[in-house]
Amino acid sequence: MLTIWGRLNSHNVKKVVWLADELGLSYRRHDVGGAFGMDDAYLAKNPNALIPTIEDGDVVLWESNAIVRYLAARHGGDALWPGDPVQRALADRWMDWQFSYAEAQRPAFVGLVRQSPEQRDADAIERATVACGRMMTILDAALSTQPWLSGDAFGLGDVPVGVYAHTFFALGLARAPVAHVADWYERLKARPGYAANVMIPLT
Ligand SMILES: N[C@@H](CCC(=O)N[C@@H](CS)C(=O)NCC(=O)O)C(=O)O
């Protein structure tokens, strides 16, 4: 059975748990990180002292996007991560783009979710909101020409950005309409694995 370590309020853990549900995998998840801490046994598996980490048989793996790619390739065949190099690359780029987006969004997330009103840096939240809005117009343009970030069908390209899109909408960071992103988000919300694991209260 697959084991996943990481608290579920982490964006990077959500990706893995959601994908495991998309693939219909049985798994056990253990809360690690943040207030749950990390013991020596965990740090021996992941010396970065970060979450998530998985163990699948004799495979121990960290780095959320690498885990997502591994699970899809090992347990999903070509369905979510096509073998065709062009199709794969066009989806993959959104997985890497997500790390830039996460950097842009972090000050707004930390300020609005993890800090008290007294601790908040309003300028940093404002700059982050503007930066997120700019990046979301890029996503919106892409989703105006294809239904999914992965192309014609849902796939891995939709997973990392999909997790952050929930935070974007839940925090009310959308100042200008991004209709195609909003439509894609509605379709993500209809996926049971997304509803169960990604759309949880932000903490
Ligand atoms: N590039 C890494 C980043 C992992 C990461 O930064 N994880 C955060 C949570 S989202 C973490 O471990 N924070 C420390 C903690 O939770 O104790 C990945 O994608 O797995």
Side-chain angles (χ1 to χ4, degrees), residues 7 10-13 15 32-34 38 49-52 62-65 99 106 164:
R7 55 186 167 81
S10 146
H11 290 84
N12 290 310
V13 173
K15 297 173 194 172
V32 169
M38 290 173 191
L50 293 171
I51 51 171
W62 36 262
E63 279 299 331
S64 58
N65 286 359
F99 283 116
R106 182 170 293 116
Y164 283 83

PDB file of all heavy atoms in Angstrom, residues 7 10-13 15 32-34 38 49-52 62-65 99 106 164, ligand 1:
ATOM      1  N   ARG A   7       0.947  16.897   6.145  1.00  0.00           N
ATOM      2  CA  ARG A   7      -0.333  17.484   6.594  1.00  0.00           C
ATOM      3  C   ARG A   7      -1.112  17.933   5.351  1.00  0.00           C
ATOM      4  O   ARG A   7      -0.519  18.469   4.404  1.00  0.00           O
ATOM      5  CB  ARG A   7      -0.075  18.656   7.553  1.00  0.00           C
ATOM      6  CG  ARG A   7       0.822  19.709   6.953  1.00  0.00           C
ATOM      7  CD  ARG A   7       1.225  20.820   7.906  1.00  0.00           C
ATOM      8  NE  ARG A   7       2.328  21.603   7.329  1.00  0.00           N
ATOM      9  CZ  ARG A   7       2.189  22.560   6.422  1.00  0.00           C
ATOM     10  NH1 ARG A   7       0.986  22.909   6.011  1.00  0.00           N
ATOM     11  NH2 ARG A   7       3.230  23.205   5.940  1.00  0.00           N
ATOM     12  N   SER A  10      -1.204  21.503   3.324  1.00  0.00           N
ATOM     13  CA  SER A  10      -0.067  21.909   2.483  1.00  0.00           C
ATOM     14  C   SER A  10      -0.459  21.778   1.008  1.00  0.00           C
ATOM     15  O   SER A  10      -0.968  20.734   0.581  1.00  0.00           O
ATOM     16  CB  SER A  10       1.123  20.988   2.779  1.00  0.00           C
ATOM     17  OG  SER A  10       1.903  20.769   1.626  1.00  0.00           O
ATOM     18  N   HIS A  11      -0.182  22.851   0.229  1.00  0.00           N
ATOM     19  CA  HIS A  11      -0.470  22.778  -1.211  1.00  0.00           C
ATOM     20  C   HIS A  11       0.226  21.566  -1.849  1.00  0.00           C
ATOM     21  O   HIS A  11      -0.350  20.868  -2.689  1.00  0.00           O
ATOM     22  CB  HIS A  11       0.034  24.042  -1.921  1.00  0.00           C
ATOM     23  CG  HIS A  11      -0.751  25.287  -1.596  1.00  0.00           C
ATOM     24  ND1 HIS A  11      -0.514  26.059  -0.496  1.00  0.00           N
ATOM     25  CD2 HIS A  11      -1.780  25.887  -2.258  1.00  0.00           C
ATOM     26  CE1 HIS A  11      -1.360  27.086  -0.487  1.00  0.00           C
ATOM     27  NE2 HIS A  11      -2.132  27.002  -1.534  1.00  0.00           N
ATOM     28  N   ASN A  12       1.471  21.335  -1.453  1.00  0.00           N
ATOM     29  CA  ASN A  12       2.246  20.280  -2.122  1.00  0.00           C
ATOM     30  C   ASN A  12       1.752  18.882  -1.751  1.00  0.00           C
ATOM     31  O   ASN A  12       1.836  17.963  -2.565  1.00  0.00           O
ATOM     32  CB  ASN A  12       3.735  20.455  -1.795  1.00  0.00           C
ATOM     33  CG  ASN A  12       4.297  21.687  -2.477  1.00  0.00           C
ATOM     34  OD1 ASN A  12       4.110  21.871  -3.675  1.00  0.00           O
ATOM     35  ND2 ASN A  12       4.955  22.559  -1.723  1.00  0.00           N
ATOM     36  N   VAL A  13       1.212  18.737  -0.554  1.00  0.00           N
ATOM     37  CA  VAL A  13       0.633  17.444  -0.155  1.00  0.00           C
ATOM     38  C   VAL A  13      -0.706  17.229  -0.877  1.00  0.00           C
ATOM     39  O   VAL A  13      -1.013  16.120  -1.331  1.00  0.00           O
ATOM     40  CB  VAL A  13       0.465  17.373   1.380  1.00  0.00           C
ATOM     41  CG1 VAL A  13      -0.284  16.106   1.795  1.00  0.00           C
ATOM     42  CG2 VAL A  13       1.836  17.438   2.062  1.00  0.00           C
ATOM     43  N   LYS A  15      -1.588  18.048  -3.805  1.00  0.00           N
ATOM     44  CA  LYS A  15      -1.372  17.532  -5.168  1.00  0.00           C
ATOM     45  C   LYS A  15      -1.311  16.004  -5.165  1.00  0.00           C
ATOM     46  O   LYS A  15      -1.912  15.333  -6.009  1.00  0.00           O
ATOM     47  CB  LYS A  15      -0.012  17.999  -5.722  1.00  0.00           C
ATOM     48  CG  LYS A  15       0.194  19.455  -5.904  1.00  0.00           C
ATOM     49  CD  LYS A  15       1.671  19.671  -6.283  1.00  0.00           C
ATOM     50  CE  LYS A  15       2.095  21.092  -6.164  1.00  0.00           C
ATOM     51  NZ  LYS A  15       3.567  21.262  -6.343  1.00  0.00           N
ATOM     52  N   VAL A  32       2.402  15.025   9.011  1.00  0.00           N
ATOM     53  CA  VAL A  32       3.799  15.385   9.308  1.00  0.00           C
ATOM     54  C   VAL A  32       3.959  16.825   8.856  1.00  0.00           C
ATOM     55  O   VAL A  32       3.300  17.273   7.922  1.00  0.00           O
ATOM     56  CB  VAL A  32       4.785  14.468   8.517  1.00  0.00           C
ATOM     57  CG1 VAL A  32       6.207  14.985   8.596  1.00  0.00           C
ATOM     58  CG2 VAL A  32       4.719  13.029   9.004  1.00  0.00           C
ATOM     59  N   GLY A  33       4.863  17.566   9.510  1.00  0.00           N
ATOM     60  CA  GLY A  33       5.155  18.938   9.092  1.00  0.00           C
ATOM     61  C   GLY A  33       4.299  19.947   9.835  1.00  0.00           C
ATOM     62  O   GLY A  33       3.286  19.589  10.451  1.00  0.00           O
ATOM     63  N   GLY A  34       4.719  21.196   9.797  1.00  0.00           N
ATOM     64  CA  GLY A  34       4.013  22.246  10.518  1.00  0.00           C
ATOM     65  C   GLY A  34       3.933  21.894  11.990  1.00  0.00           C
ATOM     66  O   GLY A  34       4.902  21.437  12.597  1.00  0.00           O
ATOM     67  N   MET A  38       8.429  16.739  12.681  1.00  0.00           N
ATOM     68  CA  MET A  38       9.053  15.664  11.882  1.00  0.00           C
ATOM     69  C   MET A  38      10.008  14.914  12.781  1.00  0.00           C
ATOM     70  O   MET A  38      10.866  15.534  13.415  1.00  0.00           O
ATOM     71  CB  MET A  38       9.875  16.274  10.732  1.00  0.00           C
ATOM     72  CG  MET A  38       9.039  16.917   9.666  1.00  0.00           C
ATOM     73  SD  MET A  38      10.032  17.778   8.445  1.00  0.00           S
ATOM     74  CE  MET A  38       8.727  18.663   7.589  1.00  0.00           C
ATOM     75  N   ALA A  49      13.721  17.998   5.132  1.00  0.00           N
ATOM     76  CA  ALA A  49      12.802  18.434   6.191  1.00  0.00           C
ATOM     77  C   ALA A  49      11.607  19.171   5.595  1.00  0.00           C
ATOM     78  O   ALA A  49      11.185  20.225   6.081  1.00  0.00           O
ATOM     79  CB  ALA A  49      13.520  19.303   7.232  1.00  0.00           C
ATOM     80  N   LEU A  50      11.087  18.618   4.511  1.00  0.00           N
ATOM     81  CA  LEU A  50       9.911  19.183   3.850  1.00  0.00           C
ATOM     82  C   LEU A  50       8.912  18.058   3.595  1.00  0.00           C
ATOM     83  O   LEU A  50       9.273  16.867   3.611  1.00  0.00           O
ATOM     84  CB  LEU A  50      10.304  19.841   2.513  1.00  0.00           C
ATOM     85  CG  LEU A  50      11.178  21.097   2.600  1.00  0.00           C
ATOM     86  CD1 LEU A  50      11.650  21.500   1.198  1.00  0.00           C
ATOM     87  CD2 LEU A  50      10.437  22.261   3.257  1.00  0.00           C
ATOM     88  N   ILE A  51       7.665  18.438   3.352  1.00  0.00           N
ATOM     89  CA  ILE A  51       6.623  17.496   2.951  1.00  0.00           C
ATOM     90  C   ILE A  51       6.176  17.861   1.540  1.00  0.00           C
ATOM     91  O   ILE A  51       6.313  19.038   1.157  1.00  0.00           O
ATOM     92  CB  ILE A  51       5.417  17.535   3.933  1.00  0.00           C
ATOM     93  CG1 ILE A  51       4.944  18.996   4.142  1.00  0.00           C
ATOM     94  CG2 ILE A  51       5.776  16.879   5.249  1.00  0.00           C
ATOM     95  CD1 ILE A  51       3.658  19.134   4.899  1.00  0.00           C
ATOM     96  N   PRO A  52       5.687  16.905   0.761  1.00  0.00           N
ATOM     97  CA  PRO A  52       5.388  15.513   1.076  1.00  0.00           C
ATOM     98  C   PRO A  52       6.560  14.563   0.796  1.00  0.00           C
ATOM     99  O   PRO A  52       7.515  14.930   0.106  1.00  0.00           O
ATOM    100  CB  PRO A  52       4.250  15.195   0.105  1.00  0.00           C
ATOM    101  CG  PRO A  52       4.613  16.003  -1.123  1.00  0.00           C
ATOM    102  CD  PRO A  52       5.221  17.280  -0.600  1.00  0.00           C
ATOM    103  N   TRP A  62      10.574  12.116  -2.667  1.00  0.00           N
ATOM    104  CA  TRP A  62      10.118  13.442  -2.250  1.00  0.00           C
ATOM    105  C   TRP A  62      10.151  14.358  -3.462  1.00  0.00           C
ATOM    106  O   TRP A  62      10.636  13.968  -4.505  1.00  0.00           O
ATOM    107  CB  TRP A  62      10.931  13.996  -1.083  1.00  0.00           C
ATOM    108  CG  TRP A  62      12.399  13.700  -1.040  1.00  0.00           C
ATOM    109  CD1 TRP A  62      13.015  12.712  -0.313  1.00  0.00           C
ATOM    110  CD2 TRP A  62      13.450  14.387  -1.740  1.00  0.00           C
ATOM    111  NE1 TRP A  62      14.371  12.752  -0.515  1.00  0.00           N
ATOM    112  CE2 TRP A  62      14.673  13.774  -1.369  1.00  0.00           C
ATOM    113  CE3 TRP A  62      13.482  15.462  -2.617  1.00  0.00           C
ATOM    114  CZ2 TRP A  62      15.920  14.201  -1.867  1.00  0.00           C
ATOM    115  CZ3 TRP A  62      14.717  15.902  -3.113  1.00  0.00           C
ATOM    116  CH2 TRP A  62      15.909  15.257  -2.727  1.00  0.00           C
ATOM    117  N   GLU A  63       9.662  15.579  -3.314  1.00  0.00           N
ATOM    118  CA  GLU A  63       9.388  16.585  -4.366  1.00  0.00           C
ATOM    119  C   GLU A  63       8.018  16.269  -4.979  1.00  0.00           C
ATOM    120  O   GLU A  63       7.845  15.300  -5.733  1.00  0.00           O
ATOM    121  CB  GLU A  63      10.449  16.647  -5.466  1.00  0.00           C
ATOM    122  CG  GLU A  63      11.681  17.465  -5.100  1.00  0.00           C
ATOM    123  CD  GLU A  63      11.393  18.939  -4.795  1.00  0.00           C
ATOM    124  OE1 GLU A  63      10.426  19.509  -5.352  1.00  0.00           O
ATOM    125  OE2 GLU A  63      12.133  19.517  -3.994  1.00  0.00           O
ATOM    126  N   SER A  64       7.047  17.127  -4.642  1.00  0.00           N
ATOM    127  CA  SER A  64       5.654  16.839  -4.979  1.00  0.00           C
ATOM    128  C   SER A  64       5.420  16.583  -6.473  1.00  0.00           C
ATOM    129  O   SER A  64       4.698  15.650  -6.833  1.00  0.00           O
ATOM    130  CB  SER A  64       4.754  17.976  -4.497  1.00  0.00           C
ATOM    131  OG  SER A  64       5.142  19.202  -5.070  1.00  0.00           O
ATOM    132  N   ASN A  65       6.013  17.400  -7.342  1.00  0.00           N
ATOM    133  CA  ASN A  65       5.724  17.199  -8.765  1.00  0.00           C
ATOM    134  C   ASN A  65       6.374  15.920  -9.286  1.00  0.00           C
ATOM    135  O   ASN A  65       5.816  15.242 -10.159  1.00  0.00           O
ATOM    136  CB  ASN A  65       6.149  18.421  -9.589  1.00  0.00           C
ATOM    137  CG  ASN A  65       5.191  19.588  -9.393  1.00  0.00           C
ATOM    138  OD1 ASN A  65       4.201  19.475  -8.659  1.00  0.00           O
ATOM    139  ND2 ASN A  65       5.481  20.712 -10.014  1.00  0.00           N
ATOM    140  N   PHE A  99       5.449  26.514  -9.830  1.00  0.00           N
ATOM    141  CA  PHE A  99       6.382  26.935  -8.775  1.00  0.00           C
ATOM    142  C   PHE A  99       6.577  28.458  -8.804  1.00  0.00           C
ATOM    143  O   PHE A  99       6.692  29.090  -7.756  1.00  0.00           O
ATOM    144  CB  PHE A  99       7.720  26.190  -8.889  1.00  0.00           C
ATOM    145  CG  PHE A  99       7.624  24.766  -8.368  1.00  0.00           C
ATOM    146  CD1 PHE A  99       7.813  23.682  -9.199  1.00  0.00           C
ATOM    147  CD2 PHE A  99       7.322  24.523  -7.031  1.00  0.00           C
ATOM    148  CE1 PHE A  99       7.697  22.378  -8.715  1.00  0.00           C
ATOM    149  CE2 PHE A  99       7.212  23.225  -6.536  1.00  0.00           C
ATOM    150  CZ  PHE A  99       7.400  22.153  -7.386  1.00  0.00           C
ATOM    151  N   ARG A 106       2.530  33.341  -2.432  1.00  0.00           N
ATOM    152  CA  ARG A 106       2.850  33.049  -1.023  1.00  0.00           C
ATOM    153  C   ARG A 106       2.612  34.231  -0.072  1.00  0.00           C
ATOM    154  O   ARG A 106       1.992  34.043   0.985  1.00  0.00           O
ATOM    155  CB  ARG A 106       4.302  32.542  -0.899  1.00  0.00           C
ATOM    156  CG  ARG A 106       4.660  32.169   0.541  1.00  0.00           C
ATOM    157  CD  ARG A 106       5.986  31.440   0.667  1.00  0.00           C
ATOM    158  NE  ARG A 106       5.913  30.125   0.055  1.00  0.00           N
ATOM    159  CZ  ARG A 106       6.624  29.758  -0.992  1.00  0.00           C
ATOM    160  NH1 ARG A 106       7.466  30.585  -1.557  1.00  0.00           N
ATOM    161  NH2 ARG A 106       6.499  28.535  -1.485  1.00  0.00           N
ATOM    162  N   TYR A 164      -3.399  25.419  -6.546  1.00  0.00           N
ATOM    163  CA  TYR A 164      -3.207  26.840  -6.224  1.00  0.00           C
ATOM    164  C   TYR A 164      -4.399  27.684  -6.677  1.00  0.00           C
ATOM    165  O   TYR A 164      -4.677  28.731  -6.097  1.00  0.00           O
ATOM    166  CB  TYR A 164      -1.883  27.347  -6.841  1.00  0.00           C
ATOM    167  CG  TYR A 164      -0.720  26.879  -6.010  1.00  0.00           C
ATOM    168  CD1 TYR A 164      -0.185  25.607  -6.184  1.00  0.00           C
ATOM    169  CD2 TYR A 164      -0.202  27.681  -5.005  1.00  0.00           C
ATOM    170  CE1 TYR A 164       0.851  25.148  -5.394  1.00  0.00           C
ATOM    171  CE2 TYR A 164       0.833  27.234  -4.208  1.00  0.00           C
ATOM    172  CZ  TYR A 164       1.356  25.964  -4.410  1.00  0.00           C
ATOM    173  OH  TYR A 164       2.374  25.518  -3.606  1.00  0.00           O
TER     174      TYR A 164
HETATM  175  N1  LIG B   1       9.580  21.654  -3.833  1.00  0.00           N
HETATM  176  C1  LIG B   1       9.020  20.957  -2.704  1.00  0.00           C
HETATM  177  C2  LIG B   1       8.542  21.978  -1.681  1.00  0.00           C
HETATM  178  C3  LIG B   1       8.014  21.303  -0.440  1.00  0.00           C
HETATM  179  C4  LIG B   1       7.577  22.326   0.595  1.00  0.00           C
HETATM  180  O1  LIG B   1       8.011  23.488   0.593  1.00  0.00           O
HETATM  181  N2  LIG B   1       6.737  21.874   1.527  1.00  0.00           N
HETATM  182  C5  LIG B   1       6.288  22.728   2.605  1.00  0.00           C
HETATM  183  C6  LIG B   1       4.774  22.617   2.782  1.00  0.00           C
HETATM  184  S1  LIG B   1       3.883  23.122   1.335  1.00  0.00           S
HETATM  185  C7  LIG B   1       6.941  22.262   3.902  1.00  0.00           C
HETATM  186  O2  LIG B   1       7.407  21.137   3.986  1.00  0.00           O
HETATM  187  N3  LIG B   1       6.969  23.127   4.932  1.00  0.00           N
HETATM  188  C8  LIG B   1       7.531  22.769   6.200  1.00  0.00           C
HETATM  189  C9  LIG B   1       6.560  22.066   7.101  1.00  0.00           C
HETATM  190  O3  LIG B   1       5.404  21.819   6.734  1.00  0.00           O
HETATM  191  O4  LIG B   1       6.955  21.734   8.238  1.00  0.00           O
HETATM  192  C10 LIG B   1       7.873  20.039  -3.169  1.00  0.00           C
HETATM  193  O5  LIG B   1       7.220  20.406  -4.152  1.00  0.00           O
HETATM  194  O6  LIG B   1       7.648  18.961  -2.578  1.00  0.00           O
END
